[in-house]
Amino acid sequence: VNQILLLLLVLTVCAILYNKVHQVPLALRNETVDLESPEEMEEEIPVVICAAAGRMGAAVAAISSIYSNTEANVLFYIIGLKTTIPHIRKWIENSKLKEIKFKVVEFNPMVLKGKIRQDASRPELLQPLNFVRFYLPLLIQKHEKVIYLDDDVIVQGDIQELYDTKLAPGHAAAFSDDCDLPSTHEMIRSVGMQNTYMGFLDYRKQAIRDLGISPSTCSFNPGVIVANMTEWKHQRITKQLEKWMQRNVEENLYSSTLGGGVATSPMLIVFHGKYSSINPMWHIRHLGWSPDARYSEQFLQEAKLLHWNGRYKPWDYPSVHTDLWENWFIPDPSGKFKLTRPDS
């Protein structure tokens, strides 16, 4: 009996050893492993665009231009207020944009309470969604890198190229310098536009002088941002921006009568000397600064991104280069948003 038991024990041990030596690794049994498809493994490119009341057609045109010019896996984050969200959602779902990947995110304007100084010269600049860029990590939480775009842009290049912008170690964001492209200098001079810190900050105030920033320092435009969310949170960028918003309420350090926007000034302060650069062709701007000043058609055709920053928007009249913008516009199925044209 003992010999039989011993023989059975030996056979059992041999069977275990055989299975271990000849076992096929799970990863090699490709017929039964549920692997992700290449499309699912492709990196997602999050693009943040606001959809404000009265200018939703701008957001739609921007999204349309991005989606039409790339094969990348883009996820659009469309930020709106509670009252405007149903409109933009219906517009997308009932147009050719219904194929895009998107999430609609509600922005709560209460986070701005007590942080915005009232300014009657350009009240549209005080709209809550102008400050969405300050709160990117609170709205977009699962991504390491994010693209933010103002709504008054169209994209003519592949958004993947903008997403691949390299950010230097320790930089939370990349912007376009206002002095970066000689082709825009003539435009800036012709319309009397500012492209230095002196055009955005009130250097008569001690708090501004104490920053130690030369007033002739070239400014940058935060209408196109490539942001690193980890660095943004680590450096507490949102808290820093809120601090300068609060100080402006108390001390009037900047206003919309200077550089034409109250969202730019705190960013100029917080990011001074601490940002990377975006390829200049990925932010050709000032198209909305004058109803008369124009770029050459060849230059605009070569541009990767066009920005109608300024008062004269391409869905209104007067404005310039509206044909380039209108190529990407998709009419509102509800009929609420209409283009303003000379014959309308």
Side-chain angles (χ1 to χ4, degrees), residues 42 51 56 81 97 102 142 146 153 165 208 238 274 299 303:
E42 184 183 3
M56 286 190 193
L81 301 180
L97 290 180
F102 74 101
K142 72 169 188 172
V146 170
V153 308
T165 298
I208 298 301
T238 298
K274 296 184 292 185
F299 177 68

Side-chain angles (χ1 to χ4, degrees), residues 310-341:
R311 295 175 183 266
Y312 303 97
K313 303 301 186 186
W315 54 90
D316 281 335
Y317 180 82
S319 56
V320 296
H321 304 298
T322 54
D323 55 324
L324 293 174
W325 181 87
E326 206 166 330
N327 283 338
W328 306 107
F329 175 67
I330 298 172
D332 182 1
S334 73
K336 295 177 183 176
F337 182 94
K338 294 182 174 65
L339 302 182
T340 303
R341 293 295 180 254

Side-chain angles (χ1 to χ4, degrees), residues 38-51:
E39 184 178 348
E40 291 171 327
M41 295 173 70
E42 184 183 3
E43 186 174 13
E44 217 166 42
I45 298 179
V47 176
V48 179
I49 295 179
C50 295

Side-chain angles (χ1 to χ4, degrees), residues 28 42 50 57 189 231 246 254 287 308:
L28 298 181
E42 184 183 3
C50 295
R189 285 193 299 269
E231 279 295 335
Q246 190 68 53
Y254 52 84
L287 277 76
W308 279 263

